[in-house]
């Protein structure tokens, strides 16, 4: 296997979105930084800042592939721990140019952070980013005729928290409400596939601790200030874990998924980066196989690798006429 793409290392580094640029001409006023900007490798979206809801972060960018027939779609959910990041990180999770060349359109969404969920009294806080992403997906499906999209062949992509969100949508029962007066709510949330980077595959602190003893991530998703309190309070939130942890939702009717990590796994051992350890991938792959769900796992030295990158997987899988 060739060396993993360099963006896999970048995607696992949490932090604020990069601010680029300054006024071209000298000014007595302080230069005003621009907002989040796309990497130079990413083409200009066909449509930018399309609103799918009422919150300022309820926006989508869309790249339309040229085609005489309806195109598949890759739906990208950015990472950042559900606490930061933006859709402009799309290049870290999918190669937009390669997808467009393959006749696959792309959409990337923003969503509310957990801090905004807390301010709004949403419980658990993780409900806001997860349901926002699902709503954004429904909105894109509602635009299928206008944007020339195949409603069936939609694959999700993302990194870290965005990867967890993608897996949650992939494994969750359809959130469509066929009786709703809202046409967007009537759209399906089911996926054709998902290809994700550095995913947290469970939000159960007991599983995290068993798989990776130095786990420290996830408490904020349920309103806990530390992992210790998260673990201590686990029994009180079991219904939330059952609803929002991807691992808990896997069943035989779910689409296939692809997981990629930057370091090899070591189950039961402390990890250099426990938040993005391949231990998550090993355990989800075991669980998927036990439930008859296809799951390709990639890391340095991994056996049986068929696709080097998430984009490779997405192109091949979304171009299939049948899943």
């Amino acid at each position: 296997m060739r060396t993993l793409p360099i963006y896999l290392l970048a995607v696992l580094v949490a932090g604020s979105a990069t601010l680029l640029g300054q006024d071209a001409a000298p000014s007595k006023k302080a230069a005003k930084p621009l907002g989040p900007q796309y990497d130079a490798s990413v083409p200009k979206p066909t449509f930018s800042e399309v609103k799918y809801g009422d919150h300022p972060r309820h926006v989508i960018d869309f790249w339309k592939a040229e085609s005489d027939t309806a195109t598949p779609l890759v739906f990208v959910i950015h990472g950042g721990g559900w606490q930061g990041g933006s859709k402009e990180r799309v290049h870290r999770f999918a190669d937009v140019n390669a997808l467009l060349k393959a006749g696959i359109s792309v959409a990337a969404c923003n969503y509310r952070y957990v801090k905004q969920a807390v301010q709004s009294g949403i419980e658990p806080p993780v409900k806001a980013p997860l349901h926002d992403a699902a709503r954004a997906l429904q909105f894109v499906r509602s635009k299928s005729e206008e944007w020339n999209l195949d409603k069936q062949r939609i694959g999700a992509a993302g990194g870290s928290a965005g990867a967890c969100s993608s897996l949650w949508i992939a494994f969750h029962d359809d959130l469509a409400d066929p009786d709703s007066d809202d046409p967007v709510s009537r759209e399906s949330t089911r996926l054709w596939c998902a290809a994700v980077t550095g995913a947290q595959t469970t939000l159960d602190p007991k599983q995290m601790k068993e798989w990776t003893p130095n786990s420290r991530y996830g408490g904020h998703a349920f309103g806990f200030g530390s992992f210790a309190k998260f673990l201590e309070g686990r029994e009180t939130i079991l219904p939330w874990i059952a609803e929002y942890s991807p691992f808990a939702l896997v069943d035989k009717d779910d689409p296939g998924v692809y997981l990629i990590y930057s370091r090899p796994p070591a189950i039961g051992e402390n990890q250099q980066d426990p938040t993005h350890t391949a231990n998550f991938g090993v355990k989800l792959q075991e669980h998927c196989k036990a439930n008859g769900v296809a799951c390709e796992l990639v890391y340095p030295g991994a056996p049986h690798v068929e696709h080097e990158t998430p984009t490779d997987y997405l192109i091949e899988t979304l171009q299939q006429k049948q899943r």
Side-chain angles (χ1 to χ4, degrees):
M1 178 182 171
R2 299 194 296 273
T3 303
L4 292 178
I6 193 168
Y7 72 80
L8 290 178
L9 299 177
V11 71
L12 304 181
V13 179
S16 301
T18 303
L19 299 177
L20 301 177
Q22 291 183 336
D23 294 337
S27 173
K28 293 181 180 180
K29 295 182 179 180
K32 184 179 180 180
L34 300 174
Q37 301 292 295
Y38 281 106
D39 185 79
S41 66
V42 179
K44 182 179 179 181
T46 309
F47 302 116
S48 299
E49 301 292 307
V50 181
K51 292 186 67 64
Y52 68 88
D54 296 331
H55 194 274
R57 288 195 55 78
H58 287 161
V59 290
I60 293 170
D61 287 354
F62 174 73
W63 294 260
K64 184 178 181 181
E66 294 299 324
S67 176
D68 294 331
T69 58
T71 70
L73 175 84
V74 169
F75 181 76
V76 182
I77 308 172
H78 71 78
W82 297 309
Q83 300 181 99
S86 72
K87 54 185 168 53
E88 285 76 16
R89 292 182 174 186
V90 65
H91 66 285
R92 300 185 180 185
F93 321 123
D95 185 334
V96 177
N97 281 303
L99 290 166
L100 294 175
K101 185 177 180 180
I104 298 172
S105 297
V106 180
C109 72
N110 280 350
Y111 50 81
R112 287 171 293 174
Y113 303 137
V114 293
K115 64 182 179 183
Q116 292 157 339
V118 171
Q119 292 167 357
S120 299
I122 296 172
E123 292 186 334
V126 75
K127 180 178 179 179
L130 292 181
H131 278 264
D132 282 1
R135 173 73 179 186
L137 173 60
Q138 290 175 301
F139 175 83
V140 171
R141 268 202 168 98
S142 76
K143 306 288 281 187
S144 61
E145 184 173 346
E146 179 182 345
W147 291 355
N148 195 35
L149 301 176
D150 182 337
K151 282 190 177 185
Q152 296 299 314
R153 287 183 291 157
I154 298 180
S160 191
C164 187
S165 297
S166 297
L167 294 176
W168 178 78
I169 293 173
F171 298 146
H172 200 283
D173 289 344
D174 200 335
L175 292 169
D177 180 0
D179 299 321
S180 176
D181 293 333
D182 174 16
V184 174
S185 295
R186 295 197 294 266
E187 295 288 349
S188 175
T189 58
R190 296 299 283 166
L191 293 171
W192 189 265
C193 62
V196 296
T197 304
Q200 299 89 36
T201 62
T202 183
L203 293 178
D204 183 340
K206 184 174 182 288
Q207 285 181 320
M208 292 186 202
K209 195 73 173 176
E210 290 172 350
W211 302 350
T212 309
N214 64 329
S215 292
R216 55 177 181 258
Y217 179 86
H220 65 297
F222 298 106
F224 293 96
S226 69
F227 189 86
K229 291 181 179 179
F230 184 26
L231 186 60
E232 181 182 347
R234 175 182 179 271
E235 296 298 317
T236 68
I237 60 165
L238 287 177
W240 284 352
I241 292 172
E243 170 62 16
Y244 296 107
S245 176
F247 188 95
L249 298 170
V250 175
D251 67 40
K252 62 182 179 62
D253 296 323
D254 291 333
V257 297
Y258 171 99
L259 313 170
I260 190 165
Y261 296 87
S262 63
R263 297 183 180 89
I267 299 296
E269 298 181 13
N270 286 352
Q271 298 289 285
Q272 183 176 344
D273 181 6
T275 302
H276 305 101
T277 172
N279 290 354
F280 281 119
V282 169
K283 286 300 184 179
L284 182 65
Q285 186 182 56
E286 292 175 357
H287 190 49
C288 283
K289 287 184 175 180
N291 284 275
V293 176
C295 180
E296 183 176 348
L297 175 60
V298 178
Y299 53 81
H304 313 303
V305 172
E306 297 180 29
H307 304 92
E308 185 179 349
T309 70
T311 297
D312 293 339
Y313 174 89
L314 289 163
I315 290 174
E316 180 172 330
T317 306
L318 289 171
Q319 287 180 338
Q320 296 171 357
K321 296 300 182 182
Q322 292 184 334
R323 191 172 62 199

